[in-house]
Amino acid sequence: MASVLPRTVQGPPVPLRWPPEDNRIPREIFTDPDLFRWEMDAVFTGPVWVLVGHEAEIPQPGDYKTLSVGAVPVIVVRGADGQVRVLVNACAHRGARVVEGPRGNVLKGGFRCIYHMWTYAPDGSLLGVSLPDDFPVEFRKEDYGLPRARVALYKGLIFASFHEQTPPLEEYLAELTQGMDRVLGDGRLRYLGSIKVIFRTNWKLYVENIYDGYHVTALHTGFQVVRLRSHGGQRLVPNYERNGHLWGQSRSTRREELQPVLRDMSLFDVRTKPTTDHNMMVVFPSGVVTDYFDTIQLRYVLPLAVDQTLIEFTFFARADDPEDVVRHRVRQGPAVLGPAGAITLEDAAALERVQQSSVARGDNVILKGTPKRFPPYRHVDEAPIRHFYQAYRRLIGVPVEEGTP
Amino acid sequence: MNNADDLSVREQAARELLARYVRVVDDPDRVEEWPDLFADQAEYRVVTRENLEAGLPISVVCDDTKDRIMDRVTVIREFWGAGGRLEDRHYNQVRPRHVVGPVWTEPQEDGTVRVVANFVVWGTPTTDPAPRLLALGEYRDVVEFTARGPRFRSKWVVLDTPVLQDVFVYPL
Ligand code: FES
Ligand SMILES: [Fe+2]
């Protein structure tokens, strides 16, 4: 596999046990540190587009933010030319992290590495080095830029890929673009801030949870308390033959019909959409895009260790929202879909428990909706999880046998 | 009572309110008492220093009215607490422990007292071998003197950590 980054591991750790049935997931994959290392290469720097931001987060020339693509620290930066680039956040000299802060603007001065004062332009090219006398004669600054990922944009969403054979973004996303059109409209957003939190769980357990429609009523008791239900909906798996994204659609009970258990029910308000239809999408492997109620949210899933995952919840308004709508979004977003949100905290508890018991070995089993082999699934099904793991297995080199979907 | 005495009485009362607050938020069985520590018009906000300093409006918790402060109890007990069935609770049992201090008080011209205090919250899970650092930062409070006694007009919990170390169930 061709990649712009050198690989450290050459294949999946052996032996990796995988049951023949595609609805059984071996628990070892949540606890094996060698596999984790391999995933960072084979999945995150493999032929995938990883969601790393929205243009609204870096609106001005020189604006940047940092995060990681799997294990690779990156800088997402808007150049002086207005173009968005994704650079590896490791100095080309002796590897020091070049940018420290989470966000900033680099237009004046460039990115300067503290170790030996090499300075990079916003586009990653090396501008200058300190005291270059006695360098080898063949040293050329052009050979020492910060490595760049490929970048593609859709409705302002920024995707990065470290693999040369990743298909064009729109082909990769397939029908998921239609869901993004619904959530992002013309793509002009205003960034409101983010909340980052550590979940004590493997990154795959976090992502598969979003494919899972079965847990929603069982675990998120708040929905039962206010009698909020899904009036129809479905779970699609765009491009399931290859990358297996999720597009969950649901229409929820209107606020006027809910049990007014809270004094302030604006948590469940839908003021900015004509209907109470929500979209919850996963861009395989690690991006989340949703428009739950009036909340426009992206999530970046950053694996830290085999049993620890950083989730960054980012919140947006539309660029031309009046101030009272912005205020409503600011009050609603984290109160529903954030680490202290009415319907998020339970996932953290459930996933931590799955993680802790994964050392018990054996298989996790996916049942609800599985008699059906292909999408669309019902909104309450957990069957879409199978497609997540099929996509995952293709990348780590343990593909599902031919003939089984 | 001269003016200086009155000032020190108010500062002392504000400190006592903070101590009472800590006793309540440390005890998962007393969360129902938490809203009464606030004035009728009050706010409770949890924000990261990162968002605050960047001027970004998103908070971790934005209970900007007394209604929302009271709703938090319902969310803890009913939404996450599965209607109070102890064995079905949808969060991990982690007992919080606040360590607060030093406490600075500053009486204001309008009769309120500004209170600033460092805090650390540890959580001790019932299942894990080790306690966890839940939160670290400073309180920035305004205490007012109501007919019911001293109450928080506003309580800002400013988190030093840009990355929350865990989800929070009980108020910080
Ligand atoms: S490591 Fe960056 S300049 Fe030497
Ligand atoms: Fe969930």
Side-chain angles (χ1 to χ4, degrees):
Chain A
M1 289 202 284
S3 167
V4 300
L5 289 177
R7 291 171 178 281
T8 53
V9 190
Q10 290 312 314
V14 280
L16 179 62
R17 180 185 70 87
W18 208 298
E21 307 89 344
D22 70 352
N23 68 328
R24 302 187 78 87
I25 310 301
R27 291 181 185 145
E28 296 93 300
I29 66 169
F30 306 122
T31 57
D32 183 338
D34 293 336
L35 177 66
F36 178 79
R37 190 50 245 174
W38 169 237
E39 288 169 349
M40 294 307 101
D41 282 345
V43 177
F44 286 91
T45 66
V48 296
W49 286 108
V50 175
L51 180 68
V52 295
H54 190 277
E55 286 194 81
E57 294 177 68
I58 47 168
Q60 301 302 325
D63 283 353
Y64 68 84
K65 59 172 243 178
T66 62
L67 77 170
S68 68
V69 171
V72 182
V74 296
I75 310 165
V76 182
V77 56
R78 186 181 293 278
D81 55 358
Q83 203 181 318
V84 176
R85 295 185 183 82
V86 175
L87 312 171
V88 174
N89 192 4
C91 183
H93 177 223
R94 298 247 302 280
R97 183 170 56 221
V98 178
V99 175
E100 275 292 296
R103 285 165 197 281
N105 187 288
V106 72
L107 216 49
K108 287 199 196 81
F111 296 119
R112 177 167 299 161
C113 177
I114 62 160
Y115 200 2
H116 312 87
M117 295 264 273
W118 285 26
T119 306
Y120 301 89
D123 69 358
S125 56
L126 181 59
L127 286 174
V129 306
S130 60
L131 311 172
D133 49 312
D134 289 335
F135 269 39
V137 284
E138 61 276 20
F139 174 80
R140 294 167 51 229
K141 282 193 290 197
E142 302 79 76
D143 298 337
Y144 289 89
L146 298 175
R148 282 183 198 164
R150 294 171 59 195
V151 172
L153 305 173
Y154 187 81
K155 296 275 164 122
L157 297 173
I158 307 167
F159 294 90
S161 179
F162 280 110
H163 203 282
E164 283 158 11
Q165 280 146 33
T166 314
L169 179 63
E170 291 190 26
E171 186 184 321
Y172 182 81
L173 296 173
E175 317 91 278
L176 200 61
T177 54
Q178 296 164 32
M180 290 175 171
D181 293 346
R182 290 191 200 172
V183 173
L184 301 164
D186 63 3
R188 290 187 314 114
L189 300 180
R190 168 172 161 192
Y191 174 59
L192 301 175
S194 83
I195 306 175
K196 293 169 267 191
V197 62
I198 292 172
F199 275 37
R200 290 173 171 77
T201 196
N202 183 268
W203 70 273
K204 298 185 293 299
L205 289 171
Y206 183 80
V207 177
E208 64 153 58
N209 168 264
I210 299 163
Y211 287 66
D212 171 16
Y214 182 23
H215 82 285
V216 177
T217 27
L219 177 66
H220 298 297
T221 340
F223 284 148
Q224 298 167 38
V225 177
V226 296
R227 307 248 169 83
L228 183 140
R229 291 183 299 124
S230 269
H231 305 269
Q234 54 180 350
R235 281 183 181 252
L236 305 179
V237 189
N239 209 359
Y240 66 86
E241 302 88 344
R242 202 169 156 172
N243 6 81
H245 311 297
L246 175 82
W247 182 6
Q249 305 167 358
S250 63
R251 171 171 295 187
S252 64
T253 313
R254 292 171 43 230
R255 178 192 159 174
E256 302 78 58
E257 291 155 24
L258 296 177
Q259 211 53 26
V261 174
L262 300 178
R263 289 161 173 263
D264 182 342
M265 289 289 283
S266 67
L267 231 62
F268 303 102
D269 253 6
V270 179
R271 299 181 193 168
T272 62
K273 300 189 288 191
T275 65
T276 56
D277 287 284
H278 315 298
N279 300 279
M280 178 64 82
M281 291 175 278
V282 176
V283 186
F284 183 89
S286 60
V288 180
V289 180
T290 185
D291 65 345
Y292 231 82
F293 304 112
D294 285 321
T295 297
I296 304 171
Q297 183 185 68
L298 305 182
R299 288 178 219 163
Y300 317 124
V301 177
L302 314 181
L304 298 181
V306 70
D307 57 356
Q308 267 195 21
T309 306
L310 190 156
I311 317 295
E312 181 168 4
F313 298 80
T314 51
F315 298 88
F316 298 86
R318 300 208 186 280
D320 38 21
D321 275 345
E323 280 310 306
D324 62 313
V325 173
V326 174
R327 164 131 200 82
H328 167 56
R329 293 193 201 271
V330 164
R331 295 178 87 237
Q332 183 187 62
V336 182
L337 299 177
I343 51 169
T344 301
L345 179 140
E346 311 95 298
D347 288 317
L351 295 176
E352 181 175 333
R353 292 177 195 196
V354 177
Q355 180 66 37
Q356 283 182 339
S357 295
S358 291
V359 289
R361 306 290 170 187
D363 303 332
N364 292 344
V365 190
I366 303 157
L367 296 170
K368 199 170 173 72
T370 50
K372 205 157 181 276
R373 302 304 301 164
F374 302 103
Y377 297 101
R378 290 175 310 155
H379 189 252
V380 292
D381 287 344
E382 60 180 337
I385 298 173
R386 287 179 308 184
H387 300 287
F388 168 76
Y389 283 108
Q390 286 162 12
Y392 166 80
R393 289 173 64 173
R394 283 180 207 112
L395 292 173
I396 61 162
V398 190
V400 185
E401 278 167 46
E402 280 305 314
T404 53
Chain B
M1 198 158 55
N2 68 33
N3 193 38
D5 284 347
D6 177 50
L7 282 184
S8 69
V9 166
R10 278 194 280 138
E11 287 184 80
Q12 189 53 36
R15 283 165 186 271
E16 277 164 18
L17 176 66
L18 181 59
R20 232 165 79 215
Y21 181 95
V22 169
R23 295 305 290 168
V24 168
V25 289
D26 267 353
D27 188 345
D29 293 332
R30 291 179 67 182
V31 70
E32 281 77 6
E33 298 173 40
W34 177 71
D36 185 50
L37 300 168
F38 291 85
D40 294 339
Q41 286 190 5
E43 64 170 351
Y44 164 72
R45 300 275 294 269
V46 180
V47 296
T48 59
R49 191 176 290 277
E50 183 178 304
N51 282 347
L52 193 64
E53 287 175 357
L56 294 166
I58 282 291
S59 319
V60 180
V61 173
C62 178
D63 292 346
D64 55 359
T65 60
K66 185 71 182 268
D67 279 347
R68 301 250 296 193
I69 289 170
M70 294 169 87
D71 284 344
R72 184 149 302 279
V73 177
T74 311
V75 169
I76 294 168
R77 289 292 192 235
E78 302 292 322
F79 283 35
W80 301 332
R85 262 182 61 110
L86 216 62
E87 52 279 26
D88 289 344
R89 281 183 184 168
H90 290 160
Y91 48 81
N92 295 327
Q93 296 282 41
V94 177
R95 192 180 180 92
R97 181 68 65 194
H98 289 61
V99 181
V100 177
V103 180
W104 292 271
T105 52
E106 221 177 87
Q108 304 294 297
E109 303 233 315
D110 65 358
T112 63
V113 175
R114 237 170 64 84
V115 181
V116 178
N118 293 350
F119 73 84
V120 169
V121 187
W122 288 91
T124 304
T126 49
T127 45
D128 268 21
R132 303 171 173 181
L133 178 70
L134 283 186
L136 163 69
E138 82 180 23
Y139 290 142
R140 296 180 189 172
D141 304 339
V142 175
V143 173
E144 76 175 56
F145 295 83
T146 72
R148 293 181 289 128
R151 294 289 186 275
F152 291 107
R153 175 183 290 178
S154 95
K155 183 163 198 76
W156 278 62
V157 179
V158 181
L159 302 172
D160 286 343
T161 49
V163 179
L164 277 57
Q165 303 298 296
D166 205 339
V167 294
F168 312 129
V169 176
Y170 303 106
L172 288 180

Short mmCIF file of all heavy atoms in Angstrom, two decimals, chain A residues 209 215-216 219-220 343 347, ligand 2:
data_model
loop_
_atom_site.label_atom_id
_atom_site.label_comp_id
_atom_site.label_asym_id
_atom_site.label_seq_id
_atom_site.Cartn_x
_atom_site.Cartn_y
_atom_site.Cartn_z
N ASN A 209 -20.83 2.34 18.42
CA ASN A 209 -21.99 2.76 19.22
C ASN A 209 -22.92 3.67 18.42
O ASN A 209 -24.14 3.68 18.62
CB ASN A 209 -21.48 3.47 20.48
CG ASN A 209 -22.57 4.21 21.24
OD1 ASN A 209 -22.76 5.40 21.06
ND2 ASN A 209 -23.32 3.48 22.04
N HIS A 215 -29.41 0.42 21.18
CA HIS A 215 -29.20 0.89 22.56
C HIS A 215 -29.98 2.17 22.86
O HIS A 215 -30.14 2.53 24.02
CB HIS A 215 -27.71 1.13 22.81
CG HIS A 215 -27.21 2.46 22.32
ND1 HIS A 215 -26.98 2.73 20.99
CD2 HIS A 215 -26.91 3.62 22.98
CE1 HIS A 215 -26.54 3.98 20.87
NE2 HIS A 215 -26.50 4.54 22.04
N VAL A 216 -30.47 2.84 21.81
CA VAL A 216 -30.92 4.21 22.00
C VAL A 216 -32.05 4.31 23.03
O VAL A 216 -31.98 5.08 23.98
CB VAL A 216 -31.32 4.87 20.66
CG1 VAL A 216 -31.87 6.27 20.89
CG2 VAL A 216 -30.12 4.93 19.73
N LEU A 219 -30.74 2.53 26.66
CA LEU A 219 -29.73 3.21 27.48
C LEU A 219 -30.08 4.67 27.76
O LEU A 219 -29.87 5.17 28.85
CB LEU A 219 -28.37 3.13 26.79
CG LEU A 219 -27.20 3.84 27.47
CD1 LEU A 219 -26.87 3.18 28.81
CD2 LEU A 219 -25.97 3.83 26.57
N HIS A 220 -30.60 5.37 26.76
CA HIS A 220 -30.84 6.81 26.93
C HIS A 220 -32.21 7.04 27.55
O HIS A 220 -33.18 7.40 26.88
CB HIS A 220 -30.67 7.53 25.60
CG HIS A 220 -29.27 7.39 25.05
ND1 HIS A 220 -28.18 7.89 25.71
CD2 HIS A 220 -28.78 6.77 23.96
CE1 HIS A 220 -27.07 7.60 25.04
NE2 HIS A 220 -27.41 6.91 23.97
N ILE A 343 -28.10 13.14 26.88
CA ILE A 343 -28.08 11.84 26.22
C ILE A 343 -26.69 11.49 25.66
O ILE A 343 -26.56 11.04 24.54
CB ILE A 343 -29.13 11.75 25.08
CG1 ILE A 343 -29.01 12.95 24.15
CG2 ILE A 343 -30.53 11.65 25.64
CD1 ILE A 343 -29.82 12.81 22.88
N ASP A 347 -23.56 6.81 27.31
CA ASP A 347 -22.71 6.07 26.38
C ASP A 347 -21.32 5.88 26.98
O ASP A 347 -20.73 4.80 26.87
CB ASP A 347 -22.58 6.82 25.05
CG ASP A 347 -23.87 6.76 24.23
OD1 ASP A 347 -24.48 5.69 24.15
OD2 ASP A 347 -24.26 7.81 23.68
FE FE C 2 -25.86 6.52 22.51
#
